[in-house]
Amino acid sequence: MQAGEYMVVSVTDTGTGMGPDVIARAFDPFFTTKPLGQGTGLGPSMIYGFAKQSGGQVRIYSEVGRGATT
Ligand SMILES: Nc1ncnc2c1ncn2[C@@H]1O[C@H](COP(=O)(O)OP(=O)(O)OP(=O)(O)O)[C@@H](O)[C@H]1O
Ligand SMILES: [Mg+2]
């Protein structure tokens, strides 16, 4: 990232959490762990696209069973 001032938006949930394998793919468009027809796989991937277009970045911190912070 270029030097400058940035705003941070952070959201934490208490859901299922993600292991490293899922975190690694969560930003892939259409990647979903939900059953066929139930997940779009367009959540984190849209955030990734918006953040990158805006010169920012996005990260996921999560452990299985311990929720996620993005
Ligand atoms: N907050 C979260 N907690 C746990 N897993 C998540 C979280 N956000 C994303 N994931 C994982 O990343 C995958 C892709 O997320 P994404 O939001 O793009 O699709 P989805 O949640 O499967 O579908 P939809 O958002 O349309 O219901 C999910 O299937 C899930 O495995
Ligand atoms: Mg989702």
Side-chain angles (χ1 to χ4, degrees), residues 27-54:
F27 292 125
D28 292 352
F30 307 114
F31 170 76
T32 179
T33 55
K34 291 181 180 175
L36 193 64
Q38 286 190 32
T40 65
L42 290 174
S45 64
M46 289 185 69
I47 296 168
Y48 180 89
F50 175 74
K52 286 290 176 180
Q53 281 175 7
S54 308

mmCIF file of all heavy atoms in Angstrom, residues 27-54:
data_model
loop_
_atom_site.group_PDB
_atom_site.id
_atom_site.type_symbol
_atom_site.label_atom_id
_atom_site.label_comp_id
_atom_site.label_asym_id
_atom_site.label_seq_id
_atom_site.Cartn_x
_atom_site.Cartn_y
_atom_site.Cartn_z
ATOM 1 N N PHE A 27 -11.666 -15.297 -0.525
ATOM 2 C CA PHE A 27 -11.760 -14.143 -1.421
ATOM 3 C C PHE A 27 -11.942 -14.554 -2.876
ATOM 4 O O PHE A 27 -12.127 -13.697 -3.740
ATOM 5 C CB PHE A 27 -10.508 -13.266 -1.296
ATOM 6 C CG PHE A 27 -10.398 -12.566 0.030
ATOM 7 C CD1 PHE A 27 -9.261 -12.714 0.807
ATOM 8 C CD2 PHE A 27 -11.425 -11.756 0.501
ATOM 9 C CE1 PHE A 27 -9.152 -12.072 2.030
ATOM 10 C CE2 PHE A 27 -11.330 -11.106 1.718
ATOM 11 C CZ PHE A 27 -10.185 -11.261 2.496
ATOM 12 N N ASP A 28 -11.883 -15.845 -3.171
ATOM 13 C CA ASP A 28 -12.098 -16.301 -4.549
ATOM 14 C C ASP A 28 -13.573 -16.116 -4.927
ATOM 15 O O ASP A 28 -14.462 -16.564 -4.192
ATOM 16 C CB ASP A 28 -11.762 -17.795 -4.704
ATOM 17 C CG ASP A 28 -10.291 -18.087 -4.537
ATOM 18 O OD1 ASP A 28 -9.512 -17.118 -4.453
ATOM 19 O OD2 ASP A 28 -9.926 -19.272 -4.490
ATOM 20 N N PRO A 29 -13.854 -15.459 -6.066
ATOM 21 C CA PRO A 29 -15.247 -15.320 -6.495
ATOM 22 C C PRO A 29 -15.917 -16.685 -6.629
ATOM 23 O O PRO A 29 -15.334 -17.618 -7.195
ATOM 24 C CB PRO A 29 -15.136 -14.636 -7.863
ATOM 25 C CG PRO A 29 -13.825 -13.939 -7.837
ATOM 26 C CD PRO A 29 -12.929 -14.812 -7.003
ATOM 27 N N PHE A 30 -17.094 -16.804 -6.100
ATOM 28 C CA PHE A 30 -17.951 -18.003 -6.178
ATOM 29 C C PHE A 30 -17.472 -19.160 -5.309
ATOM 30 O O PHE A 30 -18.065 -20.237 -5.348
ATOM 31 C CB PHE A 30 -18.130 -18.472 -7.630
ATOM 32 C CG PHE A 30 -18.613 -17.382 -8.552
ATOM 33 C CD1 PHE A 30 -17.804 -16.902 -9.564
ATOM 34 C CD2 PHE A 30 -19.875 -16.820 -8.378
ATOM 35 C CE1 PHE A 30 -18.240 -15.877 -10.404
ATOM 36 C CE2 PHE A 30 -20.326 -15.797 -9.208
ATOM 37 C CZ PHE A 30 -19.504 -15.328 -10.223
ATOM 38 N N PHE A 31 -16.425 -18.944 -4.501
ATOM 39 C CA PHE A 31 -16.045 -20.002 -3.549
ATOM 40 C C PHE A 31 -17.042 -20.019 -2.397
ATOM 41 O O PHE A 31 -17.327 -18.994 -1.779
ATOM 42 C CB PHE A 31 -14.641 -19.781 -2.989
ATOM 43 C CG PHE A 31 -14.330 -20.707 -1.841
ATOM 44 C CD1 PHE A 31 -14.020 -22.042 -2.069
ATOM 45 C CD2 PHE A 31 -14.397 -20.253 -0.519
ATOM 46 C CE1 PHE A 31 -13.755 -22.907 -1.018
ATOM 47 C CE2 PHE A 31 -14.122 -21.116 0.541
ATOM 48 C CZ PHE A 31 -13.815 -22.440 0.286
ATOM 49 N N THR A 32 -17.596 -21.171 -2.120
ATOM 50 C CA THR A 32 -18.521 -21.313 -0.996
ATOM 51 C C THR A 32 -18.394 -22.696 -0.381
ATOM 52 O O THR A 32 -18.077 -23.664 -1.073
ATOM 53 C CB THR A 32 -19.987 -21.083 -1.444
ATOM 54 O OG1 THR A 32 -20.856 -21.252 -0.316
ATOM 55 C CG2 THR A 32 -20.407 -22.074 -2.535
ATOM 56 N N THR A 33 -18.615 -22.778 0.913
ATOM 57 C CA THR A 33 -18.642 -24.074 1.594
ATOM 58 C C THR A 33 -20.082 -24.483 1.894
ATOM 59 O O THR A 33 -20.316 -25.489 2.559
ATOM 60 C CB THR A 33 -17.832 -24.020 2.902
ATOM 61 O OG1 THR A 33 -18.322 -22.955 3.711
ATOM 62 C CG2 THR A 33 -16.352 -23.822 2.626
ATOM 63 N N LYS A 34 -21.029 -23.651 1.433
ATOM 64 C CA LYS A 34 -22.439 -23.998 1.631
ATOM 65 C C LYS A 34 -22.864 -25.026 0.580
ATOM 66 O O LYS A 34 -22.236 -25.146 -0.468
ATOM 67 C CB LYS A 34 -23.305 -22.746 1.514
ATOM 68 C CG LYS A 34 -23.088 -21.775 2.675
ATOM 69 C CD LYS A 34 -23.969 -20.546 2.564
ATOM 70 C CE LYS A 34 -23.723 -19.615 3.744
ATOM 71 N NZ LYS A 34 -24.474 -18.341 3.605
ATOM 72 N N PRO A 35 -23.984 -25.743 0.855
ATOM 73 C CA PRO A 35 -24.481 -26.731 -0.114
ATOM 74 C C PRO A 35 -24.835 -26.081 -1.448
ATOM 75 O O PRO A 35 -25.131 -24.881 -1.497
ATOM 76 C CB PRO A 35 -25.748 -27.289 0.560
ATOM 77 C CG PRO A 35 -25.600 -26.990 2.000
ATOM 78 C CD PRO A 35 -24.789 -25.720 2.083
ATOM 79 N N LEU A 36 -24.817 -26.869 -2.490
ATOM 80 C CA LEU A 36 -25.107 -26.397 -3.853
ATOM 81 C C LEU A 36 -26.401 -25.585 -3.872
ATOM 82 O O LEU A 36 -27.425 -26.028 -3.370
ATOM 83 C CB LEU A 36 -25.219 -27.592 -4.803
ATOM 84 C CG LEU A 36 -25.214 -27.285 -6.301
ATOM 85 C CD1 LEU A 36 -23.881 -26.680 -6.723
ATOM 86 C CD2 LEU A 36 -25.500 -28.548 -7.094
ATOM 87 N N GLY A 37 -26.353 -24.417 -4.449
ATOM 88 C CA GLY A 37 -27.537 -23.586 -4.589
ATOM 89 C C GLY A 37 -27.826 -22.694 -3.403
ATOM 90 O O GLY A 37 -28.773 -21.915 -3.432
ATOM 91 N N GLN A 38 -27.049 -22.795 -2.328
ATOM 92 C CA GLN A 38 -27.354 -22.006 -1.126
ATOM 93 C C GLN A 38 -26.411 -20.842 -0.885
ATOM 94 O O GLN A 38 -26.746 -19.909 -0.182
ATOM 95 C CB GLN A 38 -27.368 -22.920 0.103
ATOM 96 C CG GLN A 38 -28.602 -23.792 0.151
ATOM 97 C CD GLN A 38 -28.733 -24.525 1.475
ATOM 98 O OE1 GLN A 38 -28.331 -24.044 2.518
ATOM 99 N NE2 GLN A 38 -29.280 -25.721 1.424
ATOM 100 N N GLY A 39 -25.222 -20.899 -1.435
ATOM 101 C CA GLY A 39 -24.272 -19.808 -1.218
ATOM 102 C C GLY A 39 -23.819 -19.220 -2.546
ATOM 103 O O GLY A 39 -23.610 -19.944 -3.516
ATOM 104 N N THR A 40 -23.685 -17.880 -2.586
ATOM 105 C CA THR A 40 -23.223 -17.250 -3.824
ATOM 106 C C THR A 40 -21.705 -17.209 -3.911
ATOM 107 O O THR A 40 -21.148 -17.153 -5.001
ATOM 108 C CB THR A 40 -23.733 -15.802 -3.925
ATOM 109 O OG1 THR A 40 -23.155 -15.029 -2.871
ATOM 110 C CG2 THR A 40 -25.246 -15.753 -3.846
ATOM 111 N N GLY A 41 -21.058 -17.194 -2.777
ATOM 112 C CA GLY A 41 -19.600 -17.042 -2.790
ATOM 113 C C GLY A 41 -19.156 -15.666 -3.246
ATOM 114 O O GLY A 41 -18.052 -15.498 -3.765
ATOM 115 N N LEU A 42 -20.032 -14.687 -3.038
ATOM 116 C CA LEU A 42 -19.721 -13.328 -3.515
ATOM 117 C C LEU A 42 -19.635 -12.314 -2.373
ATOM 118 O O LEU A 42 -19.746 -11.121 -2.597
ATOM 119 C CB LEU A 42 -20.780 -12.881 -4.532
ATOM 120 C CG LEU A 42 -20.720 -13.630 -5.861
ATOM 121 C CD1 LEU A 42 -21.886 -13.229 -6.744
ATOM 122 C CD2 LEU A 42 -19.395 -13.367 -6.558
ATOM 123 N N GLY A 43 -19.439 -12.795 -1.156
ATOM 124 C CA GLY A 43 -19.318 -11.865 -0.023
ATOM 125 C C GLY A 43 -17.920 -11.278 0.070
ATOM 126 O O GLY A 43 -17.667 -10.165 -0.400
ATOM 127 N N PRO A 44 -16.988 -12.016 0.661
ATOM 128 C CA PRO A 44 -15.617 -11.508 0.791
ATOM 129 C C PRO A 44 -14.976 -11.131 -0.553
ATOM 130 O O PRO A 44 -14.154 -10.226 -0.593
ATOM 131 C CB PRO A 44 -14.871 -12.688 1.440
ATOM 132 C CG PRO A 44 -15.923 -13.410 2.198
ATOM 133 C CD PRO A 44 -17.169 -13.282 1.375
ATOM 134 N N SER A 45 -15.366 -11.801 -1.633
ATOM 135 C CA SER A 45 -14.745 -11.476 -2.919
ATOM 136 C C SER A 45 -15.122 -10.064 -3.370
ATOM 137 O O SER A 45 -14.305 -9.361 -3.992
ATOM 138 C CB SER A 45 -15.140 -12.491 -3.988
ATOM 139 O OG SER A 45 -16.523 -12.452 -4.252
ATOM 140 N N MET A 46 -16.343 -9.621 -3.051
ATOM 141 C CA MET A 46 -16.733 -8.255 -3.401
ATOM 142 C C MET A 46 -16.003 -7.247 -2.528
ATOM 143 O O MET A 46 -15.591 -6.177 -2.991
ATOM 144 C CB MET A 46 -18.252 -8.081 -3.269
ATOM 145 C CG MET A 46 -19.014 -8.821 -4.343
ATOM 146 S SD MET A 46 -20.781 -8.512 -4.306
ATOM 147 C CE MET A 46 -20.841 -6.817 -4.832
ATOM 148 N N ILE A 47 -15.825 -7.583 -1.262
ATOM 149 C CA ILE A 47 -15.082 -6.694 -0.365
ATOM 150 C C ILE A 47 -13.635 -6.574 -0.842
ATOM 151 O O ILE A 47 -13.054 -5.481 -0.855
ATOM 152 C CB ILE A 47 -15.122 -7.236 1.085
ATOM 153 C CG1 ILE A 47 -16.565 -7.224 1.584
ATOM 154 C CG2 ILE A 47 -14.221 -6.419 1.995
ATOM 155 C CD1 ILE A 47 -16.776 -8.004 2.871
ATOM 156 N N TYR A 48 -13.081 -7.702 -1.271
ATOM 157 C CA TYR A 48 -11.707 -7.714 -1.786
ATOM 158 C C TYR A 48 -11.589 -6.789 -2.998
ATOM 159 O O TYR A 48 -10.680 -5.953 -3.077
ATOM 160 C CB TYR A 48 -11.311 -9.141 -2.173
ATOM 161 C CG TYR A 48 -9.910 -9.276 -2.717
ATOM 162 C CD1 TYR A 48 -8.839 -9.510 -1.866
ATOM 163 C CD2 TYR A 48 -9.668 -9.174 -4.080
ATOM 164 C CE1 TYR A 48 -7.556 -9.632 -2.367
ATOM 165 C CE2 TYR A 48 -8.389 -9.282 -4.590
ATOM 166 C CZ TYR A 48 -7.339 -9.518 -3.734
ATOM 167 O OH TYR A 48 -6.064 -9.629 -4.239
ATOM 168 N N GLY A 49 -12.530 -6.927 -3.953
ATOM 169 C CA GLY A 49 -12.502 -6.103 -5.154
ATOM 170 C C GLY A 49 -12.632 -4.621 -4.840
ATOM 171 O O GLY A 49 -11.890 -3.800 -5.369
ATOM 172 N N PHE A 50 -13.546 -4.287 -3.947
ATOM 173 C CA PHE A 50 -13.757 -2.887 -3.582
ATOM 174 C C PHE A 50 -12.525 -2.322 -2.886
ATOM 175 O O PHE A 50 -12.076 -1.198 -3.186
ATOM 176 C CB PHE A 50 -14.977 -2.758 -2.666
ATOM 177 C CG PHE A 50 -15.197 -1.367 -2.151
ATOM 178 C CD1 PHE A 50 -15.698 -0.384 -2.987
ATOM 179 C CD2 PHE A 50 -14.872 -1.038 -0.847
ATOM 180 C CE1 PHE A 50 -15.883 0.921 -2.511
ATOM 181 C CE2 PHE A 50 -15.054 0.261 -0.370
ATOM 182 C CZ PHE A 50 -15.558 1.232 -1.201
ATOM 183 N N ALA A 51 -11.964 -3.098 -1.969
ATOM 184 C CA ALA A 51 -10.787 -2.619 -1.228
ATOM 185 C C ALA A 51 -9.606 -2.401 -2.181
ATOM 186 O O ALA A 51 -8.913 -1.383 -2.112
ATOM 187 C CB ALA A 51 -10.413 -3.615 -0.128
ATOM 188 N N LYS A 52 -9.380 -3.344 -3.073
ATOM 189 C CA LYS A 52 -8.260 -3.230 -4.009
ATOM 190 C C LYS A 52 -8.447 -2.056 -4.961
ATOM 191 O O LYS A 52 -7.515 -1.301 -5.222
ATOM 192 C CB LYS A 52 -8.105 -4.534 -4.811
ATOM 193 C CG LYS A 52 -7.517 -5.665 -3.997
ATOM 194 C CD LYS A 52 -6.046 -5.371 -3.697
ATOM 195 C CE LYS A 52 -5.454 -6.449 -2.803
ATOM 196 N NZ LYS A 52 -4.032 -6.188 -2.498
ATOM 197 N N GLN A 53 -9.666 -1.901 -5.496
ATOM 198 C CA GLN A 53 -9.939 -0.780 -6.401
ATOM 199 C C GLN A 53 -9.707 0.551 -5.713
ATOM 200 O O GLN A 53 -9.354 1.538 -6.357
ATOM 201 C CB GLN A 53 -11.405 -0.828 -6.862
ATOM 202 C CG GLN A 53 -11.669 -1.821 -7.965
ATOM 203 C CD GLN A 53 -13.162 -1.911 -8.295
ATOM 204 O OE1 GLN A 53 -13.959 -1.129 -7.779
ATOM 205 N NE2 GLN A 53 -13.515 -2.853 -9.123
ATOM 206 N N SER A 54 -9.905 0.578 -4.406
ATOM 207 C CA SER A 54 -9.794 1.815 -3.646
ATOM 208 C C SER A 54 -8.394 2.029 -3.103
ATOM 209 O O SER A 54 -8.158 2.952 -2.320
ATOM 210 C CB SER A 54 -10.806 1.806 -2.492
ATOM 211 O OG SER A 54 -12.107 1.519 -2.962
#
